Amino acid sequence: MPAPTHTRPCPATRAGAAGRLPWWALALPVLAFTALLALILNPSDAHAATGEPAIAHLLERVQHLTTR
């Protein structure tokens, strides 16, 4: 009894990456690049965070809870 042969599916058409990408896949990198470029051009708008870092506070709490 011969084994059944499987036919190959039709090859997929190559429609380029731009045809399959949603609109936000291009908009988000452009928006991020524009925001970073604006910060580079006007660094006075970029402010450093003040106060104690959150990770240090979290580690202190974990150490306090584990020493109980």
Side-chain angles (χ1 to χ4, degrees):
M1 185 172 196
T5 58
H6 298 285
T7 58
R8 290 186 180 190
C10 297
T13 58
R14 292 186 173 202
R20 293 181 299 222
L21 290 176
W23 64 270
W24 51 264
L26 182 63
L28 289 180
V30 168
L31 182 65
F33 177 78
T34 305
L36 290 174
L37 185 62
L39 286 175
I40 290 172
L41 294 178
N42 194 3
S44 64
D45 291 339
H47 302 287
T50 59
E52 190 174 313
I55 191 72
H57 182 66
L58 178 65
L59 290 175
E60 286 178 14
R61 296 287 294 171
V62 168
Q63 183 181 14
H64 178 71
L65 291 173
T66 56
T67 56
R68 281 187 172 181

